[in-house]
Amino acid sequence: MNTKQIVFTAPGKAELLDVEYLPPKADEVTVELEYSAISAGTEKANFLGIRNSTYLAEDAEVKFPITVGYTAAGHVIAVGENVTGLQVGDRVGVYWGKHKKCITLPAKQVYKLPEGVSTKEASLALIATFPLAAIRKTGLEIGESALVMGLGILGIFAVQELKAAGAYPVIAADPIKERREFALKMGADFALDPTEKDFSDTVMALSEGGVNVCIEVTGIGQGLIQALDCMQKMGRVALLGCTRSSKFEIDYYGKVHGPGISLIGAHTLARPKHESSTNLFTEKDDLKTLFNLIRGGRLNFKDMISEIHSPAKAQQIFTRLAEEKSFPIGVLFDWNLI
């Protein structure tokens, strides 16, 4: 059986191709997607052929074609004989899938959506678990101050989640004015331009001597260096952004060792697979948390959606992603349009 899938066939080239999908095996289900979301940092790197794996050397050649996309939602159209808890017609979210209209995958990567959560909202859910896991790893306490460095989709979700977790103040930082304004709309107490010369002094003043927690999501070395200049003694910095280049230097003695700063690796795959514990939740449990917070009005996913496009426009959209400094926060592909 054939379906449509977005594939990066060469650096800078995105095509919507006819590909095969198979019927589900005993422990699998087939989902027809309604929406899939773009994860800007990951998909820009893949589109341009930039390192996108912690297991890949910086100078290693990236191999094409690359299939992309990992967070989506739709409805079940076929169920394997051993699958329980899911049936044809169920509205579901998919994690670690693809930008692919019909996709067959293990049932453990599919979860039934609760009432009150739309498939549009659910298509963003896996992305939103990344900053949630990072915040958990910092051990944030109610009333502690927090800084978010970088206000792409991960940063804006981090702003919302920090507020929901009881951080104060939540300080958002990005050089792009529109993103700072959006961060304020989505719950930040302050939004600053990190290119201003008094940036770190302002953060120190707003947080009464430095922030306790930072979610660093710029993906560039300078962002991490600036974050370290804003920390309270014994502060914790979660490295959520994928800093793909190591070509920068940090004064570890002065900025980390002396003030007792904790640098925490917060890649989303660095989490437990089967059982949650304090500060370390599985993807499944973090997704449940997010849906409860959406239904309870604590998180706003609807306003995170900036644009919705047909997958047929993949080349145009990914070219914009590569070229625009202020690419929209939440961009979805609508698979109902093809």
Side-chain angles (χ1 to χ4, degrees):
M1 296 177 286
N2 284 346
T3 191
K4 296 287 188 181
Q5 181 173 7
I6 296 171
V7 181
F8 296 162
T9 54
K13 188 171 184 179
E15 297 186 66
L16 184 64
L17 302 180
D18 287 310
V19 299
E20 184 181 27
Y21 77 96
L22 300 174
K25 297 177 183 177
D27 296 314
E28 296 179 330
V29 298
T30 301
V31 176
E32 183 174 326
L33 295 190
E34 296 175 26
Y35 300 96
S36 61
I38 292 176
S39 179
T42 294
E43 295 185 42
K44 180 178 179 178
N46 282 323
F47 182 64
L48 296 176
I50 299 171
R51 175 194 189 198
N52 193 53
S53 170
T54 57
Y55 303 105
L56 188 67
E58 286 186 63
D59 58 353
E61 181 182 357
V62 177
K63 304 293 184 182
F64 286 85
I66 299 174
T67 56
V68 292
Y70 54 74
T71 178
H75 57 276
V76 175
I77 59 173
V79 179
E81 60 184 11
N82 291 342
V83 174
T84 59
L86 291 170
Q87 60 186 8
V88 172
D90 281 347
R91 297 184 319 119
V92 294
V94 173
Y95 51 97
W96 306 117
K98 300 290 181 183
H99 291 306
K100 184 176 183 180
K101 180 161 187 173
C102 294
I103 182 168
T104 298
L105 69 174
K108 64 183 179 181
Q109 292 174 232
V110 175
Y111 50 93
K112 191 172 180 178
L113 298 182
E115 292 299 322
V117 177
S118 69
T119 50
K120 288 181 182 178
E121 293 171 298
S123 70
L124 293 166
L126 184 62
I127 298 175
T129 66
F130 298 3
L132 181 57
I135 293 166
R136 290 193 193 281
K137 284 187 174 184
T138 67
L140 177 80
E141 298 283 357
I142 293 174
E144 286 194 303
S145 55
L147 170 65
V148 179
M149 288 292 294
L151 299 175
I153 191 169
L154 291 176
I156 297 295
F157 272 130
V159 165
Q160 289 199 58
E161 292 161 358
L162 284 164
K163 183 176 181 180
Y168 184 83
V170 177
I171 303 169
D174 197 286
I176 298 172
K177 179 182 178 182
E178 293 77 12
R179 292 190 174 184
R180 297 196 301 272
E181 292 173 345
F182 188 54
L184 290 170
K185 174 183 175 181
M186 302 304 283
D189 298 295
F190 304 97
L192 306 177
D193 182 349
T195 66
E196 295 290 338
K197 64 179 181 180
D198 60 349
F199 169 71
S200 60
D201 290 338
T202 303
V203 173
M204 297 290 277
L206 292 172
S207 58
E208 300 180 330
V211 294
N212 302 110
V213 164
C214 175
I215 307 301
E216 203 300 301
V217 70
T218 67
I220 59 174
Q222 184 59 32
L224 173 55
I225 292 169
Q226 286 186 285
L228 292 171
D229 288 335
C230 297
M231 300 306 297
Q232 182 81 253
K233 283 190 175 182
M234 310 299 288
R236 295 93 73 198
V237 179
L239 304 177
L240 178 60
C242 294
T243 309
R244 293 174 172 85
S245 173
S246 63
K247 295 178 175 60
F248 64 96
E249 294 182 358
I250 292 176
D251 174 10
Y252 287 98
Y253 185 60
K255 296 181 186 293
V256 179
H257 180 65
I261 302 300
S262 297
L263 294 178
I264 303 165
H267 193 287
T268 191
L269 295 181
R271 63 158 78 221
K273 291 184 178 298
H274 304 294
E275 187 173 350
S276 295
S277 60
T278 303
N279 299 339
L280 293 169
F281 273 37
T282 64
E283 288 172 337
K284 182 178 179 180
D285 285 343
D286 269 344
L287 286 166
K288 181 179 179 181
T289 298
L290 289 172
F291 292 143
N292 285 337
L293 292 173
I294 291 171
R295 292 189 297 168
R298 307 293 178 87
L299 296 179
N300 178 354
F301 275 43
K302 290 181 179 178
D303 286 345
M304 293 290 290
I305 300 171
S306 307
E307 297 181 5
I308 301 176
H309 297 280
S310 168
K313 294 185 177 180
Q315 179 64 51
Q316 174 186 339
I317 300 307
F318 285 111
T319 299
R320 286 178 54 200
L321 173 61
E323 296 178 352
E324 293 180 8
K325 290 184 178 180
S326 186
F327 187 74
I329 293 295
V331 178
L332 309 184
F333 288 117
D334 184 346
W335 292 91
N336 301 297
L337 298 177
I338 60 169

